[in-house]
């Protein structure tokens, strides 16, 4: 599967001026991850964690005002249409680290599932297993990286379970079919516009970003690219006839 590429913006949107903070924290406020001063946190917010001084100093620093030539060490904000060294201050990203719960019985995909957010679901004969939210999920959460066996893309045995990663001019594949983590269970929608997550290559790894609010009980979906979409449509039509 080819990596997601941002759409070029005609012009940068004006961002909201955010006052400098002395003790910034990531919080979930409604449908979005936000940065707030510690003293301004209220009972309606869910605290995700404090922002270190080093990270905070990089937040909001512009790299480019357009999406041209975006390197994978930088973060493009789809709402501001600008590229930042780390993340946008107005629309920050909070990276939920991969975890392994060895007390969970079952395959590695089950052990790595962030159970505080999601559950594994049976999506029927056509789609197989999937992932559904057990609570409302805000935009700005990032899950990953996508795990698997790394090979050169041309040598990848399971392209439908793999992401292509461009590293130093070479295209590598991360094949999650045999030893992938829970992200391999996230299905593709029938159309790109229906996806609620987007794949983001960052520092040589593929991650999934929530870019539409996900409601409790809703299935997670990420677009795997046009070529995969064509094959997927063919598989699903064939399965429905059987």
């Amino acid at each position: 599967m080819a990596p997601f590429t941002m759409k070029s913006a005609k012009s940068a949107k004006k961002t909201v001026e955010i006052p400098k903070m002395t003790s910034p924290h990531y919080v979930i406020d409604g449908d979005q991850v936000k940065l707030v001063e510690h003293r301004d946190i209220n009972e309606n917010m869910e605290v995700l964690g404090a922002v270190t001084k080093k990270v905070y100093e990089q937040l909001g620093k512009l790299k480019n005002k357009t999406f041209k030539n975006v390197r994978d060490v930088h973060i493009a904000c789809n709402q501001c249409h600008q590229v930042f060294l780390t993340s946008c201050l107005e629309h920050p990203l909070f990276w939920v680290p991969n975890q392994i719960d060895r007390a969970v019985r079952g395959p590695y995909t089950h052990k790595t599932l962030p159970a505080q957010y999601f559950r594994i679901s049976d999506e029927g004969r056509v789609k197989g297993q999937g992932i559904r939210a057990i609570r409302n999920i805000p935009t700005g959460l990032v899950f990953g990286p996508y795990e698997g066996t790394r090979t050169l893309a041309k040598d990848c045995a399971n392209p439908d379970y793999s992401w292509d990663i461009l590293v130093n001019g070479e295209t590598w594949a991360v094949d999650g079919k045999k030893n992938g983590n829970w992200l391999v269970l996230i299905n593709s929608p029938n159309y790109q516009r229906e996806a609620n997550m987007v794949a983001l290559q960052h520092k040589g790894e593929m991650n999934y970003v929530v870019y539409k609010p996900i409601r409790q009980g809703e299935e997670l979906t990420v677009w795997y690219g046009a070529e995969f979409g064509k094959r997927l449509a063919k598989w699903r039509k064939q399965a429905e006839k059987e």
Side-chain angles (χ1 to χ4, degrees), residues 12 15 58-65 81-85:
T15 56
Q58 293 295 312
L59 288 173
K61 287 189 176 181
L62 280 174
K63 175 61 180 175
N64 298 319
K65 290 187 177 181
H81 301 305
Q82 297 181 100
V83 179
F84 297 87
L85 292 178

Side-chain angles (χ1 to χ4, degrees), residues 1 3 5 12 53 113 118 143 148 152 157 163 183 191 197 207 221:
M1 298 176 285
T5 54
K53 181 179 179 181
L113 178 76
F118 310 116
F143 297 93
L152 286 172
W163 280 107
L183 293 176
Y191 303 98
M197 305 183 86
N207 303 272
T221 55

Side-chain angles (χ1 to χ4, degrees), residues 113-133:
L113 178 76
Q116 71 272 34
Y117 295 112
F118 310 116
R119 65 177 176 84
I120 295 173
S121 59
D122 182 355
E123 299 301 326
R125 181 172 58 87
V126 176
K127 294 172 68 176
Q129 287 187 318
I131 303 291
R132 288 188 178 267

Side-chain angles (χ1 to χ4, degrees), residues 71 73-77 82-87 93 95 200 202:
R71 296 177 59 200
V73 295
H74 304 135
I75 296 293
C77 178
Q82 297 181 100
V83 179
F84 297 87
L85 292 178
T86 55
S87 181
L93 300 179
W95 301 73
L200 169 71
H202 184 62

Side-chain angles (χ1 to χ4, degrees), residues 10-193:
K10 293 181 179 179
S11 61
K13 292 185 177 180
K14 186 177 181 180
T15 56
V16 175
E17 188 69 26
I18 298 177
K20 190 171 180 62
M21 301 179 189
T22 57
S23 181
H25 281 64
Y26 292 106
V27 302
I28 296 175
D29 185 12
D31 287 335
Q32 183 183 336
V33 172
K34 294 180 180 178
L35 278 177
V36 299
E37 186 70 77
H38 183 263
R39 63 174 177 269
D40 296 329
I41 296 173
N42 62 52
E43 61 184 9
N44 296 319
M45 299 176 181
E46 179 180 344
V47 179
L48 295 171
V51 185
T52 65
K53 181 179 179 181
K54 183 178 180 180
V55 170
Y56 183 66
E57 287 175 349
Q58 293 295 312
L59 288 173
K61 287 189 176 181
L62 280 174
K63 175 61 180 175
N64 298 319
K65 290 187 177 181
T66 69
F67 286 171
K68 292 182 179 179
N69 302 318
V70 180
R71 296 177 59 200
D72 81 343
V73 295
H74 304 135
I75 296 293
C77 178
N78 261 340
Q79 297 182 65
C80 293
H81 301 305
Q82 297 181 100
V83 179
F84 297 87
L85 292 178
T86 55
S87 181
C88 171
L89 270 174
E90 188 181 353
H91 311 105
L93 300 179
F94 180 79
W95 301 73
V96 180
N98 278 346
Q99 60 184 10
I100 303 175
D101 187 348
R102 301 194 183 281
V104 173
R105 294 185 178 183
Y108 186 67
T109 49
H110 293 211
K111 294 179 184 294
T112 53
L113 178 76
Q116 71 272 34
Y117 295 112
F118 310 116
R119 65 177 176 84
I120 295 173
S121 59
D122 182 355
E123 299 301 326
R125 181 172 58 87
V126 176
K127 294 172 68 176
Q129 287 187 318
I131 303 291
R132 288 188 178 267
I134 62 171
R135 49 164 290 175
N136 291 340
I137 307 296
T139 61
L141 288 184
V142 185
F143 297 93
Y146 186 94
E147 295 180 4
T149 303
R150 287 196 176 226
T151 63
L152 286 172
K154 62 182 180 64
D155 299 325
C156 181
N158 303 292
D160 290 335
Y161 291 87
S162 306
W163 280 107
D164 289 347
I165 306 287
L166 185 63
V167 180
N168 297 326
E170 281 192 308
T171 303
W172 291 78
V174 182
D175 182 353
K177 185 170 185 179
K178 291 184 178 180
N179 55 357
N181 59 350
W182 70 281
L183 293 176
V184 77
L185 297 179
I186 297 178
N187 288 313
S188 176
N190 291 322
Y191 303 98
Q192 184 175 2
R193 63 178 180 271

